[in-house]
């Protein structure tokens, strides 16, 4: 595999993971961008810090795929904000992504948590 292809695969994995996290967050209800960032941060115990430079391109990508829909509404702070909600197509995609994610986690775990073979005496 050439270097460019490896880079593309890594970017797709990262984007796919962010997409899955956003879709999961929207399962809990419609949310504006800042709310999505806050939910991810709080649910992950401050481990996941999604920057707006990653979030909004991901939301636009999800909208183009028809996995989320958005509409302008007034936020709690009385400002206009774009609220996103997951669609039926997005829920299907999330289920597919979750299955793939579980297989990846299992595969990584099987490599990382192999018990050393007992040495022969």
């Amino acid at each position: 595999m050439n270097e460019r292809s490896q880079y593309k695969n890594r970017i797709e994995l990262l984007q796919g993971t962010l997409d899955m996290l956003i879709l999961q967050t929207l399962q809990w209800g419609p949310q504006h961008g800042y709310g999505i960032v806050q939910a991810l941060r709080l649910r992950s115990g401050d481990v996941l810090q999604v920057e707006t430079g990653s979030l909004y391109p991901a939301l636009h990508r999800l909208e183009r795929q028809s996995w989320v829909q958005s509409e302008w509404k007034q936020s709690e702070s009385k400002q206009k904000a774009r609220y996103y909600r997951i669609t039926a197509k997005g829920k299907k995609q999330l289920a597919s992504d979750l299955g793939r994610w579980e297989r990846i986690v299992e595969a990584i775990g099987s490599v990382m948590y192999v018990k050393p073979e007992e040495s022969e005496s």
Side-chain angles (χ1 to χ4, degrees), residues 16 20 27 37 46 51 59 72 87 92 103-104 107-108 118:
M20 179 182 65
Q27 285 270 89
V37 168
D46 287 332
E51 301 293 328
L59 286 167
W72 288 98
T87 63
K92 247 186 198 176
R103 289 190 300 278
I104 290 170
I108 292 171
E118 299 196 359

Side-chain angles (χ1 to χ4, degrees), residues 8 10-20 58 61:
K8 184 176 183 243
R10 184 174 41 201
I11 294 298
E12 287 173 356
L13 176 64
L14 292 173
Q15 285 178 344
T17 303
L18 178 57
D19 292 354
M20 179 182 65
R61 187 171 54 249

Side-chain angles (χ1 to χ4, degrees), residues 56-73:
Y56 290 103
L59 286 167
H60 295 145
R61 187 171 54 249
L62 294 173
E63 244 183 326
R64 282 193 307 274
Q65 297 287 339
S66 299
W67 296 344
V68 301
Q69 288 182 333
S70 68
E71 65 178 321
W72 288 98
K73 291 184 178 179

Side-chain angles (χ1 to χ4, degrees), residues 17-109:
T17 303
L18 178 57
D19 292 354
M20 179 182 65
L21 290 168
I22 292 170
L23 291 173
Q24 179 60 45
T25 301
L26 294 175
Q27 285 270 89
W28 307 323
Q31 195 59 262
H32 51 72
Y34 181 73
I36 293 169
V37 168
Q38 290 298 97
L40 289 171
R41 187 181 62 75
L42 291 171
R43 294 275 178 137
S44 70
D46 287 332
V47 173
L48 300 176
Q49 307 265 339
V50 179
E51 301 293 328
T52 56
S54 298
L55 177 70
Y56 290 103
L59 286 167
H60 295 145
R61 187 171 54 249
L62 294 173
E63 244 183 326
R64 282 193 307 274
Q65 297 287 339
S66 299
W67 296 344
V68 301
Q69 288 182 333
S70 68
E71 65 178 321
W72 288 98
K73 291 184 178 179
Q74 194 170 26
S75 70
E76 302 82 28
S77 62
K78 307 292 184 214
Q79 294 180 337
K80 247 185 143 178
R82 188 168 222 147
Y83 278 75
Y84 298 88
R85 69 174 184 78
I86 191 168
T87 63
K89 195 173 175 183
K91 289 178 182 182
K92 247 186 198 176
Q93 183 62 37
L94 177 59
S96 170
D97 288 348
L98 187 54
R100 187 172 37 248
W101 176 255
E102 288 168 345
R103 289 190 300 278
I104 290 170
V105 168
E106 185 178 336
I108 292 171

